[in-house]
Amino acid sequence: MEPATRQLIYVTRDANAQWSAQFHQRGWHVDVVTNAREARRAMRSGEAAGGLLDLSSQFDEQEIGALEACLTAPRIGWVAATAPGQLQDTALRRLVRDYCFDYVTMPSDARRVADSVGHAYGMVVLAQAEEEGATRVGEGQMIGSCEAMRQLFRAIHKVAMTDAPVFISGESGTGKELTAVAIHERSTRRTEPFVAINCGAIPPHLLQSELFGYERGAFTGANQRKIGRIEAAHGGTLFLDEIGDLPLESQASLLRFLQEGHVERLGGHEATPVDVRVISATHVDMHRAMLEGRFRADLYHRLCVLQIDEPPLRARGKDIELLAQHMFERFKKDASRRLRGFSPDAIAALHNYRWPGNVRELINRVRRAIVMSEARLITASDLELADYVDVVPVSLAQAREAAERQAIELALLRHRGRLGDAAQELGISRVTLYRLLSSHGMRHIEVHQGSQRLTS
């Protein structure tokens, strides 16, 4: 006989002695309870358990409603026992469908019942092991377990120990500000201010005063002195988001500050020393912006001493599901009913979709689905991703092209855009890689000159 380490919560008004004996023989500790209150008392907090709900023992409607709250416990694998024809009742059918791993119809052999509960318990243990093993490798408010994110976390640790400017590149919605906050919180400046400014969200004619501040009387409406964002960050970290959208006039003023280490408020004549660590970020292709004259090369090289590349969500594999579950746990209280998680078709759609809006889009879709879902599980339709449940059939040539493009994209991501290293990993020449980049429309990915690349 196995040691009695597994717990069974047996909810019934007429306990079956043969069933109980079979569970005892298999090493279960059986707690027989007759109502929801006793069931809650029997639940061991945080421990996986099996559950057997004997609906055939004729619980009244009120008691079944009370038991429903017990069935939502995340680490109990429930199996229902029903009388013939009992599941024609809509409420009972929904209860079994939404909360139970399996059901048996009375009369049923004790071994069949024990096998079903054992399977349900095993599935709960598997889910618990995956949750504990895959999760929350993270930094600050970011989580992830894929290699791209592990490299990002290692890079954060490295740059946090220096005071050099950091440039964060990546697509919109990947969480560049969270990376900046994580760097600040691991640095020696963590007790000082973290000041963020979105350079693309402030009208150009107001940006100078926002960055550098102004003196009273500097212009109409300047009734008192205002400290600029740069000066407000003194001693701490200044985060310049969407730096690629900074107007040329402000670029010149920012470059002067970086060179001289002091600011002059608009309408003022005194230089104020400011000590800040500058972190900047953008989704803009900076090399193209410099070639087109939209961004000063000398300012870029001042800002891009250390560079970090934020991985897109589509390159993070299993992290997509991990993030979706994290957001579900965070916002599920907004639902009008008790939700259990994501349906299999929703999980498939999460992985098939390309996520052009990255993590920001994932958060928005999950939050909307939580509010709009009408079932116990969030479906692909709730996420507005029903078209992505099944992958559209493709020709062999299309499949090869997609695989080739993905291999190139991931190799460049792993090697921080260094074409030589990526070509070596792919087993091709640098010239061939250039040709493939052109044929796949990926020529915008170029070698970043003048910046120190981070390797893990």
Side-chain angles (χ1 to χ4, degrees):
M1 182 184 297
E2 297 178 0
T5 56
R6 294 177 296 174
Q7 180 192 19
L8 171 69
I9 301 174
Y10 182 11
V11 186
T12 183
R13 287 186 171 176
D14 185 19
N16 187 308
Q18 291 183 345
W19 289 3
S20 296
Q22 182 66 219
F23 281 108
H24 282 301
Q25 289 177 14
R26 298 192 182 194
W28 290 83
H29 171 78
V30 181
D31 288 318
V32 180
V33 298
T34 61
N35 54 52
R37 183 177 180 181
E38 292 178 1
R40 286 193 295 270
R41 188 181 299 121
M43 291 178 182
R44 296 176 182 176
S45 177
E47 294 185 14
L52 179 57
L53 175 61
D54 184 10
L55 292 173
S56 68
S57 60
Q58 300 301 317
F59 291 102
D60 59 39
E61 184 176 344
Q62 182 178 358
E63 192 61 42
I64 288 176
L67 285 168
E68 184 172 356
C70 300
L71 300 180
T72 62
R75 295 186 177 181
I76 299 179
W78 288 98
V79 171
T82 64
Q86 193 174 19
L87 292 185
Q88 292 181 8
D89 181 279
T90 303
L92 290 181
R93 186 168 62 247
R94 179 189 58 79
L95 194 76
V96 174
R97 179 199 66 197
D98 289 347
Y99 298 115
C100 297
F101 283 85
D102 196 4
Y103 72 94
V104 296
T105 303
M106 300 286 286
S108 187
D109 181 75
R111 289 175 297 180
R112 163 79 172 88
V113 175
D115 287 343
S116 294
V117 175
H119 175 69
Y121 171 81
M123 294 299 290
V124 169
V125 171
L126 284 176
Q128 182 176 341
E130 181 177 357
E131 178 184 335
E132 292 174 352
T135 54
R136 308 273 160 101
V137 177
E139 189 67 45
Q141 297 182 47
M142 297 182 293
I143 62 171
S145 59
C146 69
E147 181 55 30
M149 289 302 289
R150 290 178 186 272
Q151 288 185 7
L152 175 63
F153 298 151
R154 288 194 289 267
I156 288 172
H157 286 210
K158 289 180 181 180
V159 304
M161 304 312 295
T162 75
D163 228 18
V166 179
F167 189 89
I168 305 171
S169 61
E171 298 176 8
S172 294
T174 51
K176 295 185 286 294
E177 184 167 353
L178 293 179
T179 297
V181 171
I183 294 171
H184 171 74
E185 290 179 346
R186 279 197 162 269
S187 73
T188 57
R189 297 175 178 265
R190 57 183 170 272
T191 59
E192 301 299 329
F194 176 89
V195 177
I197 182 169
N198 189 323
C199 300
I202 301 174
H205 65 282
L206 297 178
L207 191 57
Q208 286 286 99
S209 61
E210 283 293 324
L211 284 173
F212 300 100
Y214 53 81
E215 296 287 352
R216 180 179 179 182
F219 50 83
T220 303
N223 299 321
Q224 60 183 3
R225 170 189 290 178
K226 178 182 177 180
I227 301 299
R229 299 288 187 91
I230 295 176
E231 194 174 345
H234 179 67
T237 301
L238 176 68
F239 176 54
L240 301 172
D241 198 8
E242 299 301 348
I243 191 70
D245 296 326
L246 193 68
L248 285 171
E249 178 186 358
S250 297
Q251 290 179 33
S253 301
L254 180 60
L255 178 62
R256 181 179 179 185
F257 160 68
L258 293 174
Q259 291 172 335
E260 300 178 359
H262 61 74
V263 297
E264 290 185 11
R265 304 186 194 101
L266 298 183
H269 303 288
E270 295 182 0
T272 303
V274 178
D275 171 30
V276 296
R277 200 260 180 93
V278 178
I279 301 177
S280 52
T282 188
H283 71 282
V284 171
D285 183 338
M286 295 300 286
H287 291 279
R288 178 172 297 178
M290 287 187 287
L291 288 173
E292 294 174 355
R294 293 183 287 110
F295 202 88
R296 297 178 59 126
D298 48 1
L299 176 58
Y300 172 76
H301 295 308
R302 280 275 183 177
L303 294 171
C304 190
V305 177
L306 301 174
Q307 178 160 345
I308 291 179
D309 296 317
E310 202 85 26
L313 184 57
R314 62 181 173 276
R316 293 178 57 179
K318 190 70 174 178
D319 277 3
I320 297 173
E321 184 178 344
L322 177 66
L323 284 164
Q325 186 61 42
H326 176 71
M327 294 306 157
F328 172 79
E329 294 296 334
R330 181 178 175 185
F331 297 112
K332 65 181 180 182
K333 63 180 181 297
D334 295 339
S336 59
R337 61 179 64 209
R338 293 180 183 272
L339 295 176
R340 296 178 60 197
F342 297 91
S343 66
D345 73 321
I347 298 297
L350 287 171
H351 287 287
N352 292 336
Y353 186 56
R354 293 291 291 171
W355 297 109
N358 290 291
V359 178
R360 185 182 297 122
E361 181 183 2
L362 174 64
I363 294 171
N364 292 341
R365 286 187 181 272
V366 171
R367 291 196 69 177
R368 182 189 182 281
I370 287 172
V371 174
M372 302 302 293
S373 177
E374 296 181 353
R376 295 296 178 181
L377 294 174
I378 291 174
T379 66
S381 295
D382 295 328
L383 294 166
E384 297 186 340
L385 295 177
D387 293 340
Y388 295 87
V389 175
D390 296 314
V391 179
V392 178
V394 296
S395 67
L396 184 59
Q398 289 173 318
R400 286 173 177 163
E401 181 181 355
E404 187 174 76
R405 181 184 177 92
Q406 183 180 30
I408 293 171
E409 185 178 27
L410 291 176
L412 289 170
L413 179 65
R414 281 193 289 271
H415 293 286
R416 301 285 191 258
R418 296 190 294 270
L419 299 187
D421 292 342
Q424 184 176 3
E425 178 186 314
L426 293 167
I428 58 178
S429 69
R430 189 186 182 97
V431 173
T432 300
L433 180 56
Y434 271 120
R435 179 178 58 79
L436 290 173
L437 286 172
S438 179
S439 65
H440 287 296
M442 301 166 68
R443 284 294 299 275
H444 62 282
I445 304 178
E446 304 175 23
V447 182
H448 294 275
Q449 302 291 345
S451 64
Q452 179 182 340
R453 285 294 196 170
L454 295 168
T455 56
S456 301

